[in-house]
Amino acid sequence: MKVGILTGGGDCPGLNPAIRGVVYRGMDFGFEFVGIEEGWRGLVKGMYRPLGLSDVEEIIYQGGTMLGSSRTNPFKKGGEKDLEAVLENIKAAKFDAIVALGGEDTLGVAAKLYSQYGVPTVGVPKTMDNDLSGTDFTFGFDTAASVGLDAIDRLRDTARSHRRVMVLEVMGRHAGWVAWYVGVAGGADWVTLPEEPLDVDAMIAHLSAVRARGKKYGLVVCSEGTELPALLGAEKAVDDFGHVKLSDRSVGEFVASTITEKTGWESRHAVVGHVHRGGSPTLFDRVLGMRVGMKAAELVQQKQFGQMAALVGTEVKGVDIVAATSVLKIVPPELIELMKTTFK
Ligand code: F6P
């Protein structure tokens, strides 16, 4: 079989191990692989590169994606020509299957190509946001959250020295997984999530109680997607999938200045941003990437198209790609309550 592989959406550590996993397992089945460059844009424009053993052998420890990525959406309104080009290029290149590595957007395209046009697609879930349904974890998340944890540990030192409140803004888009893990594992005094609106009074009351008992500094973790009515006007630009570009506003800055305004304490903010997405994947992300990649090759071999390789418990198995991409996996109320019990 001739199999095209692409990586779409925001990159994250673990993509290269996953590409390697698909190719290594596919070699057992005698597949021929072609790398499609820059996500769905590569199928719109016919941008390919060879993808054999020597191309993927040494990429296990590398961040980013050797195939390049983009947020191209061939299903976007007015993009009919792009969609036609994708379908024609798949035929012209004689692909028997497309393995798409991506988050809800990239896999949403794979799901539609399969369900509406019968294109044989298989999905591999990736995203630092960890917000894909159907899988317990996505690779990229562990590395991204570990980068955030390192940042909060460093901020604690300087916060304590200067008796300041340090506010750390982390990515995660509309799901608070990264903030939850970084906040809980980093011992933050307060965490703001997109899952619930920020309660400024409750935050200030708690930070004040912490200071009153003698701890002269504070640590706050903010998810970039936290709902802040004061910032709504700042959300303008959207990408191909209609997502607001959250980098155009700064929740961390807003929270830090609000704390200073309400308490008179010195506060500073730091934004992890795209630093989350670079660097060598952690052990967890390398192994998860490799396992879901290998499973995708097995799904192609079994002709189980319209499926996504997912981590369910300790097992990696195929799940329905349409179901996985139709609901965002956000932090559930019970975990939010658990997090709040750490604010003492
Ligand atoms: O979806 C992954 C992610 O890193 C989000 O956490 C963030 O909001 C977004 O991508 C940033 O996108 P871009 O790389 O297009 O600025």
Side-chain angles (χ1 to χ4, degrees):
M1 289 176 92
K2 188 173 180 188
V3 181
I5 305 182
L6 64 85
T7 56
D11 65 347
C12 69
L15 279 166
N16 282 328
I19 294 167
R20 188 175 184 264
V22 183
V23 173
Y24 269 52
R25 188 69 177 120
M27 284 172 62
D28 296 340
F29 308 129
F31 293 169
E32 176 197 346
F33 286 103
V34 173
I36 300 163
E37 294 184 315
E38 300 176 22
W40 295 112
R41 186 193 290 149
L43 272 181
V44 173
K45 301 199 165 172
M47 302 189 300
Y48 310 126
R49 56 158 292 163
L51 204 54
L53 179 60
S54 60
D55 301 295
V56 299
E57 201 172 6
E58 294 175 46
I59 62 173
I60 187 98
Y61 69 97
Q62 288 171 1
T65 161
M66 66 171 292
L67 296 176
S69 190
S70 71
R71 295 195 187 274
T72 304
N73 178 10
F75 284 93
K76 85 166 180 215
K77 258 203 186 132
E80 293 74 16
K81 282 216 168 96
D82 286 356
L83 182 58
E84 261 170 45
V86 166
L87 296 170
E88 270 167 26
N89 280 331
I90 290 173
K91 242 193 233 159
K94 296 194 168 60
F95 288 131
D96 298 299
I98 304 290
V99 175
L101 285 67
E104 46 139 359
D105 296 332
T106 302
L107 298 189
V109 172
K112 281 188 200 154
L113 284 174
Y114 173 72
S115 59
Q116 297 176 18
Y117 297 93
V119 175
T121 58
V122 163
V124 175
K126 72 86 222 183
T127 164
M128 63 150 288
D129 302 334
N130 198 38
D131 59 357
L132 254 179
S133 294
T135 185
D136 290 352
F137 282 97
T138 50
F139 64 77
F141 169 70
D142 186 64
T143 311
S146 301
V147 170
L149 184 61
D150 180 59
I152 194 172
D153 285 347
R154 288 167 192 273
L155 289 182
R156 181 188 296 280
D157 293 341
T158 176
R160 194 193 281 120
S161 305
H162 287 267
R163 278 76 164 116
R164 281 174 176 158
V165 177
M166 295 300 300
V167 178
L168 180 68
E169 178 184 317
V170 297
M171 278 185 166
R173 200 170 257 173
H174 304 299
W177 293 105
V178 177
W180 192 98
Y181 272 75
V182 171
V184 169
D189 299 301
W190 198 260
V191 180
T192 77
L193 303 174
E195 282 80 0
E196 56 175 29
L198 169 64
D199 184 342
V200 172
D201 292 341
M203 177 179 72
I204 298 294
H206 180 66
L207 293 177
S208 304
V210 168
R211 202 161 275 234
R213 66 162 199 258
K215 187 176 160 194
K216 294 197 178 98
Y217 70 96
L219 288 173
V220 176
V221 175
C222 294
S223 182
E224 62 172 353
T226 304
E227 257 183 66
L228 298 175
L231 288 181
L232 285 181
E235 298 172 354
K236 289 190 189 87
V238 291
D239 66 19
D240 253 22
F241 288 90
H243 298 297
V244 166
K245 290 184 182 163
L246 294 171
S247 52
D248 288 355
R249 56 179 216 162
S250 175
V251 170
E253 188 179 6
F254 174 84
V255 169
S257 60
T258 303
I259 291 169
T260 301
E261 196 181 294
K262 302 248 173 210
T263 63
W265 306 325
E266 251 195 336
S267 307
R268 297 282 190 273
H269 79 282
V271 180
V272 183
H274 293 82
V275 178
H276 277 302
R277 301 218 312 239
S280 195
T282 57
L283 174 138
F284 182 84
D285 281 341
R286 291 185 200 194
V287 174
L288 178 59
M290 188 203 70
R291 287 186 73 194
V292 286
M294 287 187 163
K295 185 68 192 179
E298 289 167 14
L299 293 171
V300 170
Q301 163 73 2
Q302 294 153 5
K303 298 204 164 34
Q304 292 198 36
F305 300 118
Q307 297 266 301
M308 175 184 94
L311 179 69
V312 182
T314 54
E315 211 187 321
V316 173
K317 56 186 192 182
V319 298
D320 183 60
I321 197 169
V322 178
T325 51
S326 41
V327 193
L328 211 62
K329 186 180 72 184
I330 57 172
V331 182
E334 54 282 12
L335 281 187
I336 297 178
E337 284 315 305
L338 197 70
M339 176 186 87
K340 286 180 181 168
T341 68
T342 71
F343 305 157
K344 289 282 189 291

